[in-house]
Amino acid sequence: MIPHRLPPALPARCRTPRLQRPSRSRHIAERGFSLMELMVGLTLGLIVLAGGAAWSGLQLGEHARLVQELQVQQELRAVVDMIERDLRRAGAHGRPQDLVWAPERPSPPPNLQTAIDVSAPSQRINYSFSRDDLPGAEPALSSIASPGSGPSGSPMPSPAPPSGNELSSVRWTEGDWRLDQLTGLRFQPLTDPLRLRIDGFHATLSTKALNAGGDDDTAQAPPSAATGATTRLVGDCSNALEVRTVHLRFIARSVHDPDVRHPVDLIARLRNDQVVGSCP
């Protein structure tokens, strides 16, 4: 028999190293998080998540508030423009040439369109003006013969009160909390009570009398009980020109967000002045 020969021994560097038991420190490092560590981590994560949600809620609320403010401002801008444009036309006459002196018209008729009523300043302001595109833009020509008023006693135009299509008004409806405007004998809403609430309406008419006869030998008459304006007298002439300004004040609030509020102060200088008094 051929004796069995064992293979030669491998060098030490080629031998398979013996498996060693892991140390205790390595076992502790690889075991994961403890229950306490997991709870602390979850708590910190929830705190960060709650802070982010609160910040997002604040941003969304601020955005909604800005949207409400923009809507209120846009609606108020449109309402104020309509009221101011209508107020500036107060006292307008369709035929102003008929209201000045002429040889055939030594006593021109007064302009009845210049009357402005603020007897209920916390509710409404009433005024009128002629609409050039509608009948009634000129005073009614009633043939009233006035001897000596015209050549050969010719009929002179007699002024008539403003007709229905010439009357206008801005009122505040307390129960509905809105502004209305009179157009064609019907009040039309200017504001939407479902979106905007109007509080504290107040109208003021201020007048300033300017002397129409010059500055020489002038005196001042007692204030007028109706308008509170003073009239300067020139000899026996008490003719004066009243410059009038209307001041409207109210507060607008958003229905969806009561914190959104805007006070409005509208000051409109009327273009058509009023002549007070007459010269003999």
Side-chain angles (χ1 to χ4, degrees), residues 21-234:
R21 188 175 181 178
S23 62
R24 183 176 179 81
S25 59
R26 183 178 179 183
H27 177 71
I28 294 176
E30 294 179 355
R31 69 179 181 177
F33 296 103
S34 65
L35 180 61
M36 183 63 67
E37 293 173 345
L38 182 62
M39 292 179 64
V40 171
L42 290 177
T43 302
L44 294 177
L46 290 176
I47 292 175
V48 174
L49 183 62
W55 182 81
S56 299
L58 290 176
Q59 293 297 320
L60 291 176
E62 188 67 20
H63 175 72
R65 186 172 182 273
L66 289 176
V67 171
Q68 290 292 331
E69 287 188 354
L70 289 176
Q71 291 179 353
V72 170
Q73 289 178 1
Q74 290 177 357
E75 188 166 353
L76 284 179
R77 186 179 296 111
V79 170
V80 168
D81 288 343
M82 292 178 62
I83 296 177
E84 184 177 10
R85 184 169 58 250
D86 205 56
L87 276 173
R88 289 182 181 274
R89 299 171 63 185
H93 196 276
R95 296 180 60 87
Q97 65 273 16
D98 294 341
L99 303 179
V100 297
W101 182 92
E104 66 278 4
R105 191 170 46 249
S107 298
N111 183 10
L112 300 181
Q113 307 282 359
T114 58
I116 295 181
D117 179 21
V118 287
S119 57
S122 61
Q123 295 180 354
R124 66 170 60 193
I125 176 172
N126 303 324
Y127 51 95
S128 63
F129 55 87
S130 294
R131 304 177 187 272
D132 297 337
D133 55 340
L134 294 176
E138 64 279 347
L141 299 179
S142 58
S143 299
I144 301 177
S146 177
S149 60
S152 304
S154 59
M156 297 299 297
S158 176
S163 59
N165 58 14
E166 297 173 340
L167 298 176
S168 188
S169 175
V170 176
R171 75 175 183 182
W172 173 56
T173 307
E174 184 175 0
D176 296 331
W177 312 106
R178 71 168 188 257
L179 289 178
D180 300 331
Q181 186 176 22
L182 180 64
T183 304
L185 295 180
R186 293 186 60 184
F187 278 98
Q188 305 292 336
L190 291 176
T191 58
D192 185 4
L194 299 180
R195 298 176 53 186
L196 202 62
R197 171 173 173 160
I198 305 299
D199 295 331
F201 178 86
H202 192 269
T204 305
L205 174 65
S206 59
T207 60
K208 180 180 179 182
L210 301 179
N211 181 24
D215 295 332
D216 298 334
D217 300 329
T218 59
Q220 182 169 305
S224 173
T227 62
T230 59
T231 304
R232 303 183 68 185
L233 305 179
V234 183

Side-chain angles (χ1 to χ4, degrees), residues 7-11 15:
L10 297 175
R15 296 176 184 176

